[in-house]
């Protein structure tokens, strides 16, 4: 369900913050890039008529803010939410196995 909604996780970028808002729980926020599909290649012509660039320009990539809660004693992930478009889009709550 997460792959269909968000795409595949391609990179995790910056850890934005962490802390312990509740006893025994560690909370972490970080940015991550997800890609649903597409080649991600630019169609920018190269100079002197040498064809087109093969440089990836990030098409089809969505950067979201991931918020996770982890049990400090066991390291088990308790909750994960992904906020699309760096928190300005809708959120997706991932199902975490119990």
């Amino acid at each position: 369900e997460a792959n269909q909604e968000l795409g595949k996780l391609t990179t995790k970028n910056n850890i934005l913050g962490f802390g312990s808002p509740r006893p025994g729980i560690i909370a972490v926020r970080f940015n991550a890039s997800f890609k649903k599909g597409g080649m991600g290649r630019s169609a920018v012509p190269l100079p002197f008529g040498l064809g087109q660039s093969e440089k990836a320009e990030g098409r089809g990539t969505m950067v979201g803010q991931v918020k996770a809660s982890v049990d400090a004693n066991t390291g088990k992930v308790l909750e994960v939410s992904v906020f699309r478009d760096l928190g300005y889009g809708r959120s997706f709550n991932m199902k975490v196995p119990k």
Side-chain angles (χ1 to χ4, degrees), residues 8 13 24 31 35 43 46 81 84 90:
K8 292 183 179 179
N13 302 330
N31 289 341
K35 186 170 185 164
L46 294 172
S81 298
R84 295 170 161 265
R90 63 189 169 104

Side-chain angles (χ1 to χ4, degrees), residues 72-88:
N73 297 318
T74 64
K76 182 177 180 346
V77 176
L78 304 173
E79 302 170 329
V80 178
S81 298
V82 179
F83 300 92
R84 295 170 161 265
D85 302 320
L86 294 175
Y88 294 102

Side-chain angles (χ1 to χ4, degrees), residues 8-91:
K8 292 183 179 179
L9 176 65
T10 57
T11 57
K12 55 190 176 311
N13 302 330
N14 300 317
I15 293 184
L16 301 173
F18 60 93
S20 184
R22 299 180 303 215
I25 303 294
I26 298 172
V28 179
R29 279 190 185 245
F30 58 92
N31 289 341
S33 298
F34 297 87
K35 186 170 185 164
K36 277 193 167 181
M39 289 293 291
R41 302 286 179 196
S42 65
V44 178
L46 294 172
F48 311 111
L50 295 174
Q52 294 182 343
S53 169
E54 287 293 319
K55 182 181 176 194
E57 65 177 23
R59 288 186 192 166
T61 299
M62 183 274 299
V63 178
Q65 191 176 99
V66 180
K67 177 183 168 187
S69 295
V70 179
D71 186 308
N73 297 318
T74 64
K76 182 177 180 346
V77 176
L78 304 173
E79 302 170 329
V80 178
S81 298
V82 179
F83 300 92
R84 295 170 161 265
D85 302 320
L86 294 175
Y88 294 102
R90 63 189 169 104
S91 65

